[in-house]
Amino acid sequence: MDEPILTIDEREAINSGRWFSSLSPSLRHDILRCAFVRRHKDGDLLAARGDPPEGWIACAKGAVRVSSTTVAGKQVTLTYVEPGIWFGDVAMFDGDRRTHDAYAHGDTTTLNVARADFQKILATHVELYEALMRLQARRIRQLFGLVEDLNTLPLRARLAKQLTHLVRSYGVPSLADGSQMRIGLHLAQEELAQLLGASRQRVNQELKAMERENVLRIEPGGLVVLDRAGLMQIAEADL
């Protein structure tokens, strides 16, 4: 059964989101007032490609895996939506069907705004139009950055940049050594490779090379970053 309200940590994740926190207090209040909470288990389908746009969604806990399916039937992960990030607003505007599948990755909590309520908020708060334009502009800049990295950086640098981002978003201090950061988002090497547009074998080779350099440690449950400065140096080496 869905919980009626967000937990303190989940509400903090929403309120501290870079984009959401930039909105006026009255707009944030109206969004939260009409939003409802859903809790998902690992692998639950949140939205499928071809679905009508029924709601605007924010991740409050866990992660949402956005994927596509190849002609051969293989699922390919495109990105992970982290806590504090809103998505699905493009379909709210154009009314077209969903373009990708969205699954819960681990135990995940989402905050949802029905399309009818979304339209009412737009009618009440003209500010939201400009705010969403800023959000789309940021996404376009990020997309151009990803395309540039894919065409100009070696896999080693792109992997280091991705791991740096994961540490920033999901890093948890290691119990054994607080200076070491465990990446709390559990990704198989195949999933990490898909994010980078590379093969699992090549990603595995680069991870092992970083492990030999004492930048990170590969464990059965995931990755532990031992040297964040060293990771940043790898990411910036070819810039």
Side-chain angles (χ1 to χ4, degrees), residues 162-187 211 215-228 231:
Q162 182 66 62
L163 294 178
T164 299
H165 172 74
L166 291 173
V167 168
R168 189 164 52 244
S169 301
Y170 291 98
V172 179
S174 172
L175 295 177
D177 185 343
S179 66
Q180 302 176 2
M181 299 293 288
R182 181 182 301 278
I183 296 177
L185 183 67
H186 298 294
L187 296 180
E211 186 173 43
V215 173
L216 55 79
R217 182 171 67 248
I218 303 172
E219 296 184 348
L223 299 174
V224 178
V225 175
L226 309 178
D227 184 358
R228 294 182 68 180
L231 192 65

Side-chain angles (χ1 to χ4, degrees), residues 187-206:
L187 296 180
Q189 289 189 15
E190 176 66 28
E191 293 171 318
L192 186 56
Q194 289 176 5
L195 291 177
L196 297 165
S199 68
R200 185 197 63 78
Q201 291 80 4
R202 288 192 62 205
V203 168
N204 180 259
Q205 290 172 0
E206 296 294 350

Side-chain angles (χ1 to χ4, degrees), residues 62-106:
V64 177
R65 177 170 59 86
V66 180
S67 66
S68 182
T69 304
T70 67
V71 176
K74 178 183 178 181
Q75 278 198 354
V76 178
T77 300
L78 302 176
T79 190
Y80 289 88
V81 179
E82 62 195 58
I85 303 298
W86 292 78
F87 64 100
D89 38 273
V90 172
M92 294 294 95
F93 278 118
D94 64 16
D96 208 347
R97 296 183 178 273
R98 301 288 189 189
T99 56
H100 299 90
D101 301 319
Y103 294 89
H105 188 81

Side-chain angles (χ1 to χ4, degrees), residues 8-209:
I8 294 175
D9 289 343
E10 291 166 350
R11 181 174 286 271
E12 173 61 21
I14 294 294
N15 286 329
S16 63
R18 177 182 172 188
W19 177 79
F20 190 75
S21 63
S22 71
L23 306 179
S24 67
S26 61
L27 176 52
R28 295 199 304 269
H29 173 270
D30 282 358
I31 291 173
L32 294 175
R33 181 175 56 84
C34 67
F36 56 95
V37 175
R38 283 181 173 165
R39 303 199 185 281
H40 315 272
K41 296 297 183 183
D42 181 43
D44 284 353
L45 179 66
L46 278 63
R49 180 174 183 171
D51 281 352
E54 296 180 348
W56 185 34
I57 307 172
C59 180
K61 173 189 172 184
V64 177
R65 177 170 59 86
V66 180
S67 66
S68 182
T69 304
T70 67
V71 176
K74 178 183 178 181
Q75 278 198 354
V76 178
T77 300
L78 302 176
T79 190
Y80 289 88
V81 179
E82 62 195 58
I85 303 298
W86 292 78
F87 64 100
D89 38 273
V90 172
M92 294 294 95
F93 278 118
D94 64 16
D96 208 347
R97 296 183 178 273
R98 301 288 189 189
T99 56
H100 299 90
D101 301 319
Y103 294 89
H105 188 81
D107 290 338
T108 299
T109 301
T110 58
L111 195 62
N112 303 261
V113 177
R115 189 180 183 195
D117 289 326
F118 178 83
Q119 296 293 343
K120 291 177 182 178
I121 296 171
L122 277 176
T124 305
H125 297 272
V126 178
E127 167 198 352
L128 185 55
Y129 282 100
E130 182 179 348
L132 288 171
M133 286 181 64
R134 292 197 306 270
L135 182 61
Q136 296 306 321
R138 184 182 305 163
R139 289 172 178 164
I140 292 172
R141 288 179 183 272
Q142 291 173 342
L143 178 59
F144 279 132
L146 289 173
V147 173
E148 181 179 6
D149 286 351
L150 187 61
N151 286 279
T152 61
L153 295 182
L155 176 59
R156 175 178 167 86
R158 289 190 283 119
L159 174 58
K161 288 187 70 172
Q162 182 66 62
L163 294 178
T164 299
H165 172 74
L166 291 173
V167 168
R168 189 164 52 244
S169 301
Y170 291 98
V172 179
S174 172
L175 295 177
D177 185 343
S179 66
Q180 302 176 2
M181 299 293 288
R182 181 182 301 278
I183 296 177
L185 183 67
H186 298 294
L187 296 180
Q189 289 189 15
E190 176 66 28
E191 293 171 318
L192 186 56
Q194 289 176 5
L195 291 177
L196 297 165
S199 68
R200 185 197 63 78
Q201 291 80 4
R202 288 192 62 205
V203 168
N204 180 259
Q205 290 172 0
E206 296 294 350
L207 288 173
K208 287 183 176 178

